[in-house]
Amino acid sequence: MRSNGRGESQLRPMNLTVNVNKYAEGSVFIEMGDTKVLCTATVDEKVPPFLKGQGKGWVTAEYSMLPRATQSRNQRESARGKLTGRTMEIQRLIGRALRSVVDLRALGERTITLDCDVIQADGGTRTTSITGSFVALAIAVSKIAEQHRLPAFPITDFLASVSVGIVNGEPMLDLNYEEDSTAKVDMNIVMTGGGAFVELQGTGEESPFTRQELNQLLELGERGILQLIEKQKEALGPIALMIGSGQSGREV
Amino acid sequence: MRSNGRGESQLRPMNLTVNVNKYAEGSVFIEMGDTKVLCTATVDEKVPPFLKGQGKGWVTAEYSMLPRATQSRNQRESARGKLTGRTMEIQRLIGRALRSVVDLRALGERTITLDCDVIQADGGTRTTSITGSFVALAIAVSKIAEQHRLPAFPITDFLASVSVGIVNGEPMLDLNYEEDSTAKVDMNIVMTGGGAFVELQGTGEESPFTRQELNQLLELGERGILQLIEKQKEALGPIALMIGSGQSGREV
Amino acid sequence: MRSNGRGESQLRPMNLTVNVNKYAEGSVFIEMGDTKVLCTATVDEKVPPFLKGQGKGWVTAEYSMLPRATQSRNQRESARGKLTGRTMEIQRLIGRALRSVVDLRALGERTITLDCDVIQADGGTRTTSITGSFVALAIAVSKIAEQHRLPAFPITDFLASVSVGIVNGEPMLDLNYEEDSTAKVDMNIVMTGGGAFVELQGTGEESPFTRQELNQLLELGERGILQLIEKQKEALGPIALMIGSGQSGREV
Amino acid sequence: MRSNGRGESQLRPMNLTVNVNKYAEGSVFIEMGDTKVLCTATVDEKVPPFLKGQGKGWVTAEYSMLPRATQSRNQRESARGKLTGRTMEIQRLIGRALRSVVDLRALGERTITLDCDVIQADGGTRTTSITGSFVALAIAVSKIAEQHRLPAFPITDFLASVSVGIVNGEPMLDLNYEEDSTAKVDMNIVMTGGGAFVELQGTGEESPFTRQELNQLLELGERGILQLIEKQKEALGPIALMIGSGQSGREV
Amino acid sequence: MRSNGRGESQLRPMNLTVNVNKYAEGSVFIEMGDTKVLCTATVDEKVPPFLKGQGKGWVTAEYSMLPRATQSRNQRESARGKLTGRTMEIQRLIGRALRSVVDLRALGERTITLDCDVIQADGGTRTTSITGSFVALAIAVSKIAEQHRLPAFPITDFLASVSVGIVNGEPMLDLNYEEDSTAKVDMNIVMTGGGAFVELQGTGEESPFTRQELNQLLELGERGILQLIEKQKEALGPIALMIGSGQSGREV
Amino acid sequence: MRSNGRGESQLRPMNLTVNVNKYAEGSVFIEMGDTKVLCTATVDEKVPPFLKGQGKGWVTAEYSMLPRATQSRNQRESARGKLTGRTMEIQRLIGRALRSVVDLRALGERTITLDCDVIQADGGTRTTSITGSFVALAIAVSKIAEQHRLPAFPITDFLASVSVGIVNGEPMLDLNYEEDSTAKVDMNIVMTGGGAFVELQGTGEESPFTRQELNQLLELGERGILQLIEKQKEALGPIALMIGSGQSGREV
């Protein structure tokens, strides 16, 4: 039996609070159980040098944990003078995942930066960051669409992410920290609203896993992601209708 | 007339929410108008090398702003690879101010680290951080006092901080960002519950100020700080009674 | 048709040259087509601080590319003053993958560091590094086993890695640089000799992928890895017999 | 009684030697007792990016101590790879203070950088740096005024700085290192020739201070600064006449 | 008697393998006994800022050792976050030496970067890097000369380098690591094909040396360098004829 | 004709002022023409880790230029966050040179750090630093010898350094900046009082040099160094008698 009496294929209680930041073009506070992440989207009317003059936009992400987001205090990366490998890996993953559902050409020569700051961590901070920052991104894009005549709404599909793993021999959905640290297999899945995989990162450091175990995990993950996307739709309201619509979004 | 119809000697609406973090020994979310800071206190049962074996404790602080705490996005200091001078100056100030009301010998060989993370900034982030982190510190110290037999409660007085300045020729209390950026004189005051100064930092970069103007500013500041300390007392409840009591705090 | 007339499920020509370094406890020069990596294993008779006194060893990896390993010259990370996110991600992957087939307790309080230096790059440098460094690791471990009475040979299974991807709509094995840069899906697979997955990292940045496509890719990868493990066995000669044998390895 | 029989409101012996550097546009060697600082002013015919095209100039400062300026050797900040918070705080203070008496518009699009290098330290290095660098600045500005037709002499008033503090219960002027390290209150004052405050930084880390103590300290400081400004006038000779004169300075 | 029965004025076995890298404009693998260095030359059609618009080119070098090039593993400079003084000194030396035989004006506004990566080290890595990178440079320059109409072949003379030293009281040529670490005097000589000195770096840290000893060392070095240049000529084939010819090199 | 009517084999006017720093165990201000360097020696009663427990001491050096020591202002290395290659090369040279005349065993387990800070630069800063820091070192060592019973005075010989070069076809002694920047050959020589070479660093980047030219330069250098050593003797007074005496130095 999992803590809080959760079933093996059950997500933790989830909350999405939108527009929590006074300045950002898009913002969301996402809670998955005790994991809490603030996601803000910043729009910049220019692109990085490698994209200049190509008529395409860019979406990128940064990720950080507050020092006391965790059980014991972590040294700040600003004080260490450099990012850890874990942080770099996570922010590359978030950016790559989000770009997979953005039509960069429709976005035009703009950069959207998603900042995912973990206020409190209890497992699944990277997947929660992806699920939350998708919503912040959609809000920011809807503001761009209102103000500029875009050829089409640049977000082509929904996108959410969840972790799955094998804990005490059982496949489980949405691991908290305690479950994650005893899991023999740990997998992060990013999927679109259309049910296709965008990222699949499975690790069996403690013990390798079979094709059959992989299939069980993928099914659990798929089920969880569909529920997350329902929550995203509720939180986004009318903006949700524009996603994947091909419309310009001016009328939102 | 100030925004929101505020009078010149009136503080912004202020909120202190305690125990907002699941893991930290002390935590507070402080809001002064649109300035919002999360303060956590972490207790470590050892001291920095320069204090080893002296039977004294240490209190230190770190300060950071989330990238989109401000109107336009700031680059993360972790990405820049170093702290700005402004950040260093502020975290030195917070630590120094808090230590002035801590009996480091009564604390014993422990370090308390205050993390002040600015979630949203609208002027006065350093003074707000001091006011908030005093509360987080008191909560953390009360936990130590419950678990260990201390010679006396190590916090000797209340402590709060506020900014004052001369804007459009008028002395004003608790400047927001807009006021701060047009002020000709800007001063940060840190005071104890006993009404004495701990830090006084006045700057007249745009225009120097006279003794008389200084006196007006100090009076405004004093009045504001007394109100802030009342709010701290409410938020702390029974812990407030231990501060400056000389008692051991075991009975809180 | 692929370059060099290669079939879709065909590996590039592969060479493993062992003991190429005069000083290292284990060393291999691995060539997969035009991708060439020098892997050395260094044995250190101590462990990192977090493992001290636990009776367990450690295996870690570092990865780097020579500046002119690629079409256009890359700036050295030593000159930049920091590692890129890509490098950190890769060296974490190599270390994690190798540890999955090492019995760290049988290894004893020792650290083995695998250095993977890419002399020339033509796609698949991370998977080639894993396949090559497994061999360097096995040689180094066999030297330890000769000199010390270990409870069992610490390597519990073979391990190799290969990339697969969907290029021009076709699933393909072992992508070279040109194929990799036009692939819509790109996946790195690490498997044991026993046919179980250790790492699975699939990315559909350009276009998401279905369960069916995933299955095709996994089958291609499995086939390729079995061939790579055959090559590892040839290169290791009698050492290969110790792997997974549970024997102490003294008699190699 | 203070060392050297100094009275409580007496400055240490002070020397200003001008034009000590062969290359710099302005240079001064300032001695306040055993505190010795070399100040050079460098004129650069451009401004930092944030001021470009605004028709205004900039004044900035850098501060450093030679490793053996102090009792025990300090590690170089160049070897540590970064500036300490103390250094950053001081150089921000020096720059801000000097700018308060410079008409940046009259200066035109030029940057003047003041380098304050502490050759020997015995307390008050930051205040001594301000007093000395004002003179180096004035010399450099007079050279600009000779060579270019400025609308007015860009220095609008004199500026000097001194420390005051409460040592053994007594307010004292111009603390040396020994006094400073036992002071319960420590304050740095920057004032203009017109007697107005530019910066006021008081710290009561060891013990807070009252309004009355503050007033005593401000009076001591004011008296000291007037004497320092007399010395500056002597050292500057005819250049002193231009300061605050509103004249163009061509005729110096 | 030296190891391998080498005489005191005898070089170690030397091999030059050209064109070992698929991408670089020039590349050489040089072996001097157990010292092995990979040298690649990269041509960039622009110059560093300080040379812009002067019609001159630039030649520069970078040097690095693989972590296990040596007896015990060295930490990577990329992991340390900065270059050691030794590395900086060596790469400045290589660049300076090569430039002495390049007509930078004839080269035109191009930069050639020589990367010297030490695969295995057994003494003399800096001198071996110079000897090898001269060959890589010549190959790259010949490619430029084929593709562009240069006023003259930009390499004006041959250039090679060797170490000499006094070991057990005897002057010796081309020290290996063991000899180098017991030498009382150690000298690196760089000479042109015309027999003139380009660099002379002699160090008698353990014991100073006399004019007579210096002369003996210079004679040994001269003899060694002439042999190295013969090897360079063989390796370069027809390109060797262009060096110092003053011809444009188009006809190579 | 050289500037100031100097002859080709004539040194610039030279001054050594000893004991210029209140705190350092040894200190010297050395002027060679317009090149001015402050040298301080700091004694630390421990050795670096690599020497611990071997009964030997260590001598090391650091070198820096003030930002406005030169014609145009140099960025501080502390602001850049790292030392330049030039600085590292120079401080390694100074340390190595000084150690060649120190009996590290007689010194005992102590470290002496020489700080050479260039106050003004006009060519020859590294050779001037060596000549000056030798004197600071001798003073510091004499203080150790007074306070501790050393087996012998640890300085075994005098040591000084000068530059020579070929300017406009003429060999010249002690180049100033202008001469140095037009020299075709540039050489730094470090010699002992006994007339032997400790370091020889000759560079013919602009044009290689012959054996005959080398000999002319060495003779010029030798003559200059003998004069510098005479000046060192004068400055050191009775301490000079201990150098190379083998006596314990207690009686200085």
Side-chain angles (χ1 to χ4, degrees), chain E:
Chain E
M1 186 59 104
R2 304 173 78 178
S3 58
N4 295 21
R6 210 164 29 121
E8 270 132 27
S9 59
Q10 203 180 340
L11 294 172
R12 290 177 285 180
M14 186 231 199
N15 262 306
L16 281 170
T17 317
V18 298
N19 298 324
V20 293
N21 177 294
K22 182 185 179 181
Y23 307 114
E25 284 73 26
S27 64
V28 169
F29 186 59
I30 180 169
E31 298 164 279
M32 292 285 294
D34 280 333
T35 291
K36 302 177 183 193
V37 185
L38 177 61
C39 306
T40 59
T42 296
V43 178
D44 197 1
E45 293 288 325
K46 59 173 189 266
V47 286
F50 70 91
L51 277 181
K52 220 160 249 175
Q54 299 185 25
K56 290 166 58 178
W58 191 241
V59 173
T60 186
E62 297 194 4
Y63 167 98
S64 183
M65 286 218 276
L66 294 197
R68 200 57 198 277
T70 46
Q71 190 69 42
S72 57
R73 187 178 181 273
N74 288 296
Q75 196 192 6
R76 286 175 196 269
E77 290 176 310
S78 56
R80 298 175 76 242
K82 55 183 176 182
L83 301 180
T84 61
R86 178 183 175 277
T87 292
M88 287 209 192
E89 199 172 304
I90 293 175
Q91 53 195 26
R92 282 158 56 91
L93 168 65
I94 302 172
R96 214 164 53 222
L98 292 175
R99 284 193 299 275
S100 76
V101 291
V102 176
D103 177 345
L104 296 172
R105 207 159 284 282
L107 180 58
E109 291 216 351
R110 294 180 176 90
T111 299
I112 305 182
T113 303
L114 279 303
D115 284 292
C116 302
D117 286 274
V118 179
I119 303 299
Q120 196 172 270
D122 187 28
T125 63
R126 79 185 70 187
T127 52
T128 305
S129 294
I130 292 170
T131 304
S133 58
F134 174 81
V135 176
L137 173 67
I139 296 172
V141 166
S142 76
K143 293 227 178 94
I144 300 171
E146 275 172 53
Q147 291 159 21
H148 301 273
R149 192 175 298 276
L150 301 182
F153 195 78
I155 303 189
T156 57
D157 202 346
F158 280 84
L159 183 96
S161 178
V162 81
S163 77
V164 290
I166 301 179
V167 185
N168 300 327
E170 291 295 323
M172 284 184 188
L173 177 67
D174 187 21
L175 311 188
N176 66 17
Y177 176 72
E178 196 195 326
E179 291 163 348
D180 186 69
S181 53
T182 58
K184 72 160 208 155
V185 178
D186 174 25
M187 180 169 288
N188 295 306
I189 303 173
V190 186
M191 273 189 119
T192 61
F197 298 110
V198 163
E199 288 277 341
L200 210 60
Q201 297 197 336
T203 295
E205 183 174 342
E206 293 310 312
S207 141
F209 52 100
T210 63
R211 272 293 273 287
Q212 192 191 343
E213 287 171 323
L214 172 62
N215 285 331
Q216 288 176 308
L217 292 172
L218 295 178
E219 267 143 42
L220 271 181
E222 197 168 338
R223 227 180 308 163
I225 284 174
L226 291 181
Q227 292 171 57
L228 293 172
I229 289 176
E230 282 315 302
K231 292 278 196 176
Q232 291 177 330
K233 286 183 179 163
E234 278 171 40
L236 283 169
I239 296 169
L241 302 174
M242 301 310 301
I243 291 172
S245 70
Q247 289 182 278
S248 76
R250 271 225 121 167
E251 53 281 17
V252 176

Side-chain angles (χ1 to χ4, degrees), chain A residues 115-173:
Chain A
D115 284 293
C116 301
D117 286 273
V118 179
I119 303 298
Q120 194 172 273
D122 186 30
T125 63
R126 80 185 70 185
T127 53
T128 304
S129 294
I130 291 170
T131 304
S133 60
F134 175 80
V135 176
L137 172 67
I139 296 171
V141 166
S142 76
K143 294 230 178 92
I144 299 172
E146 276 171 52
Q147 291 159 21
H148 303 274
R149 194 176 297 275
L150 301 183
F153 196 76
I155 304 189
T156 57
D157 202 346
F158 281 84
L159 184 95
S161 176
V162 80
S163 76
V164 289
I166 300 179
V167 184
N168 299 327
E170 291 296 324
M172 283 183 189
L173 177 67

